[in-house]
Amino acid sequence: MKVVCTTQSLRIIDYSAYNEEGQAHAAEPGVIDVDKLSTWKRTPDDLNVPDKPLPHVTTCNTSAGKYQVVLTNAGGGYSAPYPVINVREISNPKQPAVFIRDLALDKSYEYKRYEILFSRKYPKGQIIEEKQCPDC
């Protein structure tokens, strides 16, 4: 995962593809390792599953507003770790607006590109998704 904040936009980018492109993105500065967004416990049948969340919180000021992004991990066990995204607009702290609540990217392997964009044009967010196989 990566959260990119500029004065013009907030981008939440999923780099979860288990391929060469995903591995290349993992080497970029600022990439967030989903495995590290929780502590882990071992189950009686020897599976590692998320135990306690270790959220990654980012606050971003853009021309569209002030946003808070919280990323956690919900995967593990027989499946790969996967991020859960929460986004609130917090320009008015007494009345924050929740735009994304518990969006689980458990099928992100299906996408060649998955990104959430907040900008002046899309102040409530726009999801950009491109499937690996458009006809699948």
Side-chain angles (χ1 to χ4, degrees), residues 59-125:
T59 301
C60 181
N61 285 304
T62 71
S63 58
K66 184 175 182 179
Y67 298 92
Q68 181 185 62
V69 179
V70 179
L71 303 175
T72 56
N73 172 38
Y78 287 111
S79 67
Y82 60 85
V84 175
I85 302 170
N86 286 277
V87 179
R88 300 185 313 159
E89 204 284 335
I90 58 171
S91 295
N92 181 352
K94 292 183 181 182
Q95 292 184 319
V98 176
F99 290 143
I100 297 176
R101 182 185 310 263
D102 297 334
L103 174 63
L105 298 183
D106 57 333
K107 299 207 185 304
S108 61
Y109 58 86
E110 294 178 354
Y111 294 95
K112 181 176 180 182
R113 177 179 179 210
Y114 191 94
E115 182 176 331
I116 304 168
L117 170 69
F118 292 87
S119 64
R120 187 175 293 278
K121 185 175 179 182
Y122 301 105
K124 294 183 180 181

Side-chain angles (χ1 to χ4, degrees), residues 14 17 19 21 105-115 127-136:
D14 179 28
N19 57 26
E21 187 177 347
L105 298 183
D106 57 333
K107 299 207 185 304
S108 61
Y109 58 86
E110 294 178 354
Y111 294 95
K112 181 176 180 182
R113 177 179 179 210
Y114 191 94
E115 182 176 331
I127 294 177
I128 302 163
E129 54 185 32
E130 181 183 350
K131 291 263 190 178
Q132 293 281 6
C133 174
D135 298 329
C136 297

